[in-house]
Amino acid sequence: EPEVTQTPSHQVTQMGQEVILRCVPISNHLYFYWYRQILGQKVEFLVSFYNNEISEKSEIFDDQFSVERPDGSNFTLKIRSTKLEDSAMYFCASNKGETQYFGPGTRLLVL
Amino acid sequence: AQRVTQPEKLLSVFKGAPVELKCNYSYSGSPELFWYVQYSRQRLQLLLRHISRESIKGFTADLNKGETSFHLKKPFAQEEDSAMYYCALSSNTGKLIFGQGTTLQVKP
């Protein structure tokens, strides 16, 4: 059964550095999402992407964040200048119908 | 405001006991509700959704619009049910709004 994949599984970075988190959604899916979960808190929506553009973004998704679908398979989340509070688990998801399928997540630690 | 509330952070039961994980929501409109489960070291995966009215792994959930609830139930818990359970609401834009999650611990 096809699955959403994410790389890397863990990333440690210094505050102020740029990070790119990568996702490969399920191949025939049309809608893509990023969520994050800070340790001990709920899973929060960041952004949704459809037809090569952002369809919705949350208040968290400020100018430091960007998303891209550089080719037919990858979907990336870039954080330009990381802050300590960006430390979290980042989940990618994709769907075609009502059900969103999640990737295993990338654990980001900003030092 | 769109919101999902799971009042219990931890629910601990013995094997064979009934389980009810509570979920309440706030949404103006017709909600689409889901339960996702996350087993240890695994990804979030869909357990069930209210539209399909199915039973998965013995779990059921009924949408009660009057009480704005979507509680997850199982009559006899098994040790392999131990996991984190998230109730989620799909907004009309497609994003999921999650509750805080409830850790279910089934003791032998």
Side-chain angles (χ1 to χ4, degrees), chain B residues 21-105:
Chain B
L21 291 93
K22 291 184 167 43
C23 172
N24 288 89
Y25 67 90
S26 171
Y27 186 71
S28 54
S30 280
E32 282 186 50
L33 284 150
F34 303 81
W35 277 98
Y36 278 82
V37 60
Q38 188 173 32
Y39 299 102
S40 180
R41 300 183 190 283
Q42 294 187 29
R43 68 185 67 205
L44 277 163
Q45 52 187 282
L46 179 70
L47 181 61
L48 51 79
R49 49 191 178 139
H50 93 269
I51 288 174
S52 52
R53 298 187 61 82
E54 55 200 341
S55 172
I56 304 290
K57 300 185 181 185
F59 284 97
T60 58
D62 289 315
L63 178 62
N64 185 323
K65 290 186 179 180
E67 295 183 359
T68 59
S69 68
F70 188 57
H71 303 326
L72 184 68
K73 299 177 185 178
K74 184 168 182 176
F76 308 103
Q78 303 299 315
E79 287 181 69
E80 55 266 30
D81 295 329
S82 295
M84 188 76 163
Y85 290 80
Y86 293 95
C87 183
L89 169 69
S90 178
S91 74
N92 56 358
T93 60
K95 72 181 180 195
L96 289 175
I97 299 160
F98 285 87
Q100 290 275 25
T102 299
T103 299
L104 175 63
Q105 186 182 73

Side-chain angles (χ1 to χ4, degrees), chain A residues 3-5 33 35 37 40-45 48 55-56 89 91 95 98-104, chain B residues 3-4 9 32 34 36 38 42-44 46 49 51 86 90-91 93-100:
Chain A
E3 289 185 327
V4 177
T5 59
Y33 306 84
Y35 294 84
Q37 186 177 29
Q41 297 186 24
K42 63 172 70 179
V43 177
E44 301 173 288
F45 167 78
S48 58
S55 46
E56 186 180 0
M89 192 76 161
F91 295 105
N95 74 321
E98 298 97 0
T99 302
Q100 288 186 27
Y101 294 86
F102 282 79
Chain B
R3 188 169 57 244
V4 176
K9 287 193 82 169
E32 282 186 50
F34 303 81
Y36 278 82
Q38 188 173 32
Q42 294 187 29
R43 68 185 67 205
L44 277 163
L46 179 70
R49 49 191 178 139
I51 288 174
Y86 293 95
S90 178
S91 74
T93 60
K95 72 181 180 195
L96 289 175
I97 299 160
F98 285 87
Q100 290 275 25

Side-chain angles (χ1 to χ4, degrees), chain A residues 58-101:
Chain A
S58 71
E59 296 169 352
I60 305 165
F61 195 88
D62 62 22
D63 292 344
Q64 293 300 312
F65 291 88
S66 62
V67 289
E68 207 174 37
R69 190 155 159 82
D71 52 44
S73 58
N74 289 286
F75 179 50
T76 61
L77 174 69
K78 184 195 290 187
I79 310 175
R80 285 190 189 83
S81 177
T82 50
K83 308 187 202 64
L84 296 176
E85 54 265 35
D86 294 327
S87 295
M89 192 76 161
Y90 288 80
F91 295 105
C92 173
S94 70
N95 74 321
K96 191 177 173 186
E98 298 97 0
T99 302
Q100 288 186 27
Y101 294 86

